[in-house]
Amino acid sequence: MPSTLPGKPGTLAPAPALGGTVEHRTRLFDRRRSTPGAARKFIEEALTSWGRTERFDDVQLCTSELVTNAILHGASAGGRVLVRVTLDDIQVRIEVHDSGDATPRRRHVADTADSGRGLLLVSAVAEDWGVEERQGPGKCVWAAFHHSVAPGC
C-alpha cells in the first residue's frame, strides 16, 4: 500500500527518489481502446533491450491497469496518455501521466463486480505505487518494482 502525505489523509505521497537513473523511455499514446496493449508492447521492448525481464509479468500487469485507468478515468476525450519507464540500480518504475485531476484510490468491490480491482492488483504486485502532481494539469500514477542486481537473462 502506498504511503500518504503527513497531515493529508488520503493524499498519496510521491515516490522515493530513484537510485541514479540508468535508462528511461517515454512515449505518448492516444486515448484509444488499443492503448493498454500498445503500452505493454512499449514496456516489453524497453525491458528486453535493457536485459531486465525478471519482473516482466508484474510490470506488464501494472502497466495494463494504470494505462486502462488513465484511458477510462483520466484522459479527456481526444486526449493523450504519457507512459514512461525508468530503470535505475534498484528498481524499474512505470509512470502513467494523464490530464485528469481526480486522485485514484483503491476501492473495495463486491465479489460479483466486473471492475474496480485495478489498483488492488497494483498494490499486490508492485513494491510501491502512488500519485504525483504535475506542473500544469493532470497527474502521474506510478508503480515501482525492485529488480536483481545483475541483469536477467
Side-chain angles (χ1 to χ4, degrees):
M1 179 171 204
S3 54
T4 58
L5 293 172
K8 294 185 177 184
T11 303
L12 299 176
L18 296 175
T21 301
V22 176
E23 298 281 354
H24 66 89
R25 291 194 187 170
T26 303
R27 185 168 296 164
L28 270 174
F29 294 93
D30 290 329
R31 182 180 182 257
R32 295 185 176 148
R33 285 183 168 187
S34 60
T35 297
R40 284 192 309 271
K41 182 71 173 162
F42 164 67
I43 298 298
E44 175 185 1
E45 291 168 356
L47 294 178
T48 300
S49 72
W50 299 336
R52 290 295 180 178
T53 58
E54 66 267 22
R55 297 288 309 271
F56 182 74
D57 291 338
D58 294 342
V59 175
Q60 290 286 72
L61 172 65
C62 291
T63 298
S64 285
E65 295 301 332
L66 296 181
V67 171
T68 298
N69 283 351
I71 296 300
L72 294 177
H73 308 294
S76 58
R80 291 183 156 180
V81 173
L82 182 141
V83 177
R84 176 177 293 134
V85 56
T86 306
L87 170 70
D88 70 19
D89 54 358
I90 59 171
Q91 70 182 5
V92 171
R93 175 176 153 135
I94 304 299
E95 298 178 3
V96 179
H97 299 249
D98 66 49
S99 58
D101 291 327
T103 300
R105 301 190 190 309
R106 264 186 12 194
R107 301 185 315 182
H108 296 286
V109 296
D111 292 342
T112 56
D114 291 339
S115 63
R117 293 179 183 84
L119 291 178
L120 181 64
L121 289 170
V122 172
S123 293
V125 173
E127 267 69 46
D128 202 6
W129 72 276
V131 181
E132 294 178 353
E133 293 181 4
R134 297 171 4 130
Q135 283 191 310
K139 66 187 165 303
C140 165
V141 184
W142 57 267
F145 308 86
H146 294 165
H147 60 70
S148 62
V149 176
C153 299

